[in-house]
Amino acid sequence: MKRRILVLLFALLTTQLGSLISPAYACGCGAMIPEGYSRIGVEQETSVVRWDGRAEQIVMRFTVRGDAARAAWIMPVPGRASVELADGAMFSELTSLTRPQEKVRHYFWPREDDWPFSSHSRDMAGAPAPGAGASVDVVGREQLGDFDVARLTATDPDALRNWLESNGFKLPDGLATELKPYVDQKWEYVAVRLAPRRQGQKLQGHLDPLRIRFDSDRLVYPMRLSRLAKTPQSLRLYVLADHRMQPASPIGGADPKVTFAGTVTPKDNALAGLTDGKPAYLTAIEQEFPEPGRIDGDHELRAAASDVPYRRAIYHDELLTVAGGIPVWLLTVAGAAAAAATALFVGLRARRRRRNRAAATA
């Protein structure tokens, strides 16, 4: 018995150590990995994409958890990119713009929480909604807040990986293989090291957003490197373009869901910096990747068949009432009972009269 308990404890200890040694790098736009035996996971990746048919801007923000003080990721881009810090306020603005509508849906007959089935009062208003070799070239390198950003070109995926590792960008095994399609297409790369300026600070919560700009004649959102992730991925994408946009395919994930579609006109706020204050069609898309290893490409977004608007609705069910809260069903039942009583009274009275006339003529 004691031996069995010792074996069980050893197995549990081995499992815990294994979870520490195997870092959970999770990122919808690249491969993120922490230093040493620390851990990091991306709970949510939210990105705003602005495309005008010639140039593309991607503003991305990660919400992370774990105990890592440093981490790194790489993002391939189809053209020469510029990188700068962005204003995180635009994410709050987008949340407000795409918030679901609250609608009331009435029902007629009382339910278990309504009188006379429950003695508890009900709120009828509803509740609120919840320097490299020839094969790698350094285009630029900047320190942006908590980010060490390197912009690179490469003609050999192994040389790119070697440069990254020798310059402090520790990235996952298998990266060179996954980078090869981008090298073949002559894409460039944005490599980012996340290192908080305050010593001892951990990478947790919302990280400062980054804005990446590059020329592109098609709207593309890099996702292929996410197949290296060891945990399920979640993507929230806001697309600002001339028309309603949709992914050309699910690229190995669940079907993308449109949560908002419609024209917006940002004014005097962070979002206006992406649209120059002009109207733009906003499409909000959410997608889950339960098995990242099935991701087989990058998201390419195209104009939908029509620009029909869409907005999610949250319904609050309320008992149908009138005159300050009187249930309509009660009035209906009372009215029906009164009508039945009246009909019964009239029938009985008519019957009595017929009997009286029959008796008088007998």
Side-chain angles (χ1 to χ4, degrees):
M1 183 65 179
K2 291 182 178 180
R3 184 178 180 182
R4 185 176 302 174
I5 293 175
L6 289 173
V7 171
L8 178 60
L9 289 174
F10 178 78
L12 290 172
L13 179 61
T14 303
T15 301
Q16 293 299 317
L17 289 174
S19 66
L20 291 174
I21 294 172
S22 302
Y25 43 89
C27 170
C29 69
M32 182 180 288
I33 190 168
E35 284 188 349
Y37 298 125
S38 57
R39 293 171 294 172
I40 189 170
V42 178
E43 293 183 333
Q44 179 70 56
E45 173 196 350
T46 306
S47 293
V48 188
V49 179
R50 169 59 173 160
W51 185 64
D52 59 9
R54 300 179 303 277
E56 183 173 337
Q57 301 179 60
I58 300 177
V59 180
M60 58 182 57
R61 184 182 69 179
F62 301 111
T63 303
V64 301
R65 55 176 170 78
D67 59 3
R70 296 175 181 274
W73 56 269
I74 183 170
M75 180 176 183
V77 290
R80 182 62 47 87
S82 64
V83 186
E84 62 183 353
L85 290 176
D87 189 346
M90 72 174 63
F91 295 96
S92 298
E93 296 162 8
L94 285 165
T95 298
S96 179
L97 285 170
T98 60
R99 182 174 288 117
Q101 290 178 308
E102 296 190 23
K103 296 183 177 182
V104 175
R105 182 167 50 194
H106 291 99
Y107 57 92
F108 184 79
W109 294 109
R111 299 177 179 176
E112 60 180 358
D113 292 332
D114 300 314
W115 181 88
F117 304 114
S118 174
S119 60
H120 299 290
S121 61
R122 176 180 172 90
D123 180 8
M124 301 305 296
S135 56
V136 178
D137 183 36
V138 181
V139 177
R141 190 167 184 177
E142 301 91 14
Q143 186 71 36
L144 301 174
D146 292 330
F147 302 102
D148 174 13
V149 180
R151 293 173 290 129
L152 312 167
T153 63
T155 58
D156 181 277
D158 291 310
L160 177 57
R161 176 184 172 84
N162 291 337
W163 185 95
L164 290 167
E165 291 193 343
S166 62
N167 283 271
F169 295 83
K170 181 172 175 54
L171 294 163
D173 296 333
L175 179 66
T177 301
E178 301 300 336
L179 283 172
K180 189 176 186 308
Y182 297 114
V183 172
D184 293 342
Q185 297 176 72
K186 295 181 172 55
W187 280 35
E188 299 190 7
Y189 312 90
V190 176
V192 182
R193 271 198 319 140
L194 297 84
R197 286 163 290 185
R198 288 190 298 169
Q199 189 173 4
Q201 182 181 352
K202 305 299 182 182
L203 293 169
Q204 293 180 338
H206 295 318
L207 303 181
D208 291 334
L210 284 175
R211 180 189 297 190
I212 301 173
R213 294 186 176 99
F214 51 87
D215 292 336
S216 181
D217 57 2
R218 59 192 180 102
L219 202 169
V220 60
Y221 188 75
M223 287 288 297
R224 187 191 301 270
L225 294 187
S226 294
R227 61 186 287 112
L228 292 169
K230 302 300 184 183
T231 60
Q233 304 291 282
S234 176
L235 174 65
R236 180 177 297 161
L237 196 60
Y238 297 98
V239 183
L240 291 159
D242 294 334
H243 300 281
R244 177 171 173 167
M245 306 299 288
Q246 63 184 20
S249 79
I251 63 169
D255 288 337
K257 297 179 180 179
V258 173
T259 60
F260 178 89
T263 301
V264 297
T265 306
K267 293 181 179 180
D268 302 325
N269 54 29
L271 199 58
L274 286 179
T275 66
D276 297 324
K278 300 176 182 178
Y281 201 101
L282 172 62
T283 311
I285 300 169
E286 293 182 358
Q287 187 178 15
E288 301 295 329
F289 296 89
E291 300 178 54
R294 299 182 61 183
I295 297 175
D296 56 10
D298 300 315
H299 261 321
E300 184 168 348
L301 294 100
R302 303 171 182 173
S306 68
D307 288 340
V308 57
Y310 170 76
R311 190 168 192 167
R312 288 183 297 180
I314 296 177
Y315 290 94
H316 301 291
D317 291 341
E318 295 184 6
L319 183 66
L320 186 62
T321 62
V322 294
I326 301 175
V328 172
W329 72 265
L330 184 59
L331 295 176
T332 303
V333 170
T342 301
L344 179 61
F345 174 77
V346 171
L348 291 173
R349 187 174 181 181
R351 185 177 180 182
R352 189 180 299 115
R353 287 177 178 175
R354 287 195 298 270
R355 286 178 179 176
N356 291 336
R357 284 197 296 267
T361 57

